[in-house]
């Protein structure tokens, strides 16, 4: 897991949710971070812009449950 990617996910989470919290790999996005469907879309779009990857239309994104899953997916995707 890339520390740079995790830091970026934390920054985007802070911007969208207005909550300052250190994220852990095992944090469940919906249950632990209280991210609803609208916030999820905002976070994914912001991460797409930041990293130049496709997340919203990516079928693999449907399997993302934890912060670690999200970071791993971003690190695996080729830039657009």
């Amino acid at each position: 897991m890339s520390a740079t990617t995790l830091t970026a996910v934390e920054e985007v989470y802070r911007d969208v949710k207005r909550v300052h919290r250190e994220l852990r790999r095992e944090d469940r996005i919906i249950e632990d971070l209280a991210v609803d469907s609208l916030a999820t879309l905002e976070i994914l779009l912001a991460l797409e812009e930041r990293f130049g990857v496709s997340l919203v239309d990516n079928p693999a994104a449907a399997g993302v449950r934890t912060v670690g899953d999200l970071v791993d997916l971003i690190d695996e995707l080729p830039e657009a």
Side-chain angles (χ1 to χ4, degrees), residues 8-58:
V9 171
E10 285 177 343
E11 290 170 1
V12 168
Y13 175 76
R14 261 195 308 269
D15 290 345
V16 171
K17 292 294 287 181
R18 307 281 190 261
V19 174
H20 297 284
R21 179 190 189 290
E22 185 175 317
L23 301 182
R24 297 179 318 259
R25 182 173 179 78
E26 62 274 3
D27 284 334
R28 296 170 297 166
I29 295 170
I30 294 172
E31 296 87 348
D32 298 331
L33 303 180
V35 175
D36 61 20
S37 58
L38 180 58
T40 298
L41 182 58
E42 289 180 67
I43 289 168
L44 291 177
L45 290 171
L47 290 170
E48 282 186 343
E49 185 175 317
R50 185 161 191 165
F51 288 100
V53 296
S54 177
L55 294 168
V56 173
D57 295 329
N58 189 320

Side-chain angles (χ1 to χ4, degrees), residues 58-76:
N58 189 320
V64 170
R65 299 285 179 257
T66 66
V67 170
D69 294 342
L70 180 57
V71 169
D72 291 344
L73 177 60
I74 292 169
D75 285 343
E76 291 171 6

